Amino acid sequence: MERTITATEANREFSRIFREVASGESYVVTAHGKPLVRITPATAGEPTDDERVARLHALVDDLAALPARAPGRITREHGYA
């Protein structure tokens, strides 16, 4: 659940908010009535291990489907470009 708090309240009660975010709560901090910052746990929105593996396999499959190309003649000057 996402709660809305003012910047003043966030500043005043930072320790409490920090603990709540660490336990999974999310906040939207407002300034002058407008959303300014979203505070969420660091793991929010991160893919799971299964999703990462699936993405890696998809990338490898896409790369394997690309045609092989010869790089042509490579000289020492190419390393300085």
Side-chain angles (χ1 to χ4, degrees):
M1 179 179 192
E2 195 169 80
R3 296 183 189 176
T4 302
I5 58 171
T6 65
T8 303
E9 182 182 359
N11 190 32
R12 190 179 318 126
E13 299 186 33
F14 179 77
S15 296
R16 177 185 60 82
I17 292 167
F18 189 79
R19 283 190 304 274
E20 290 178 8
V21 169
S23 67
E25 190 69 41
S26 295
Y27 285 88
V28 173
V29 180
T30 61
H32 305 289
K34 297 180 182 176
L36 181 66
V37 176
R38 177 168 287 136
I39 304 173
T40 60
T43 57
E46 288 187 15
T48 64
D49 288 341
D50 290 339
E51 291 171 330
R52 284 188 182 120
V53 170
R55 289 179 185 181
L56 180 59
H57 285 288
L59 174 62
V60 170
D61 291 343
D62 288 347
L63 292 175
L66 293 174
R69 297 186 342 171
R73 181 179 161 97
I74 298 176
T75 65
R76 179 195 251 170
E77 284 73 32
H78 285 97
Y80 299 109

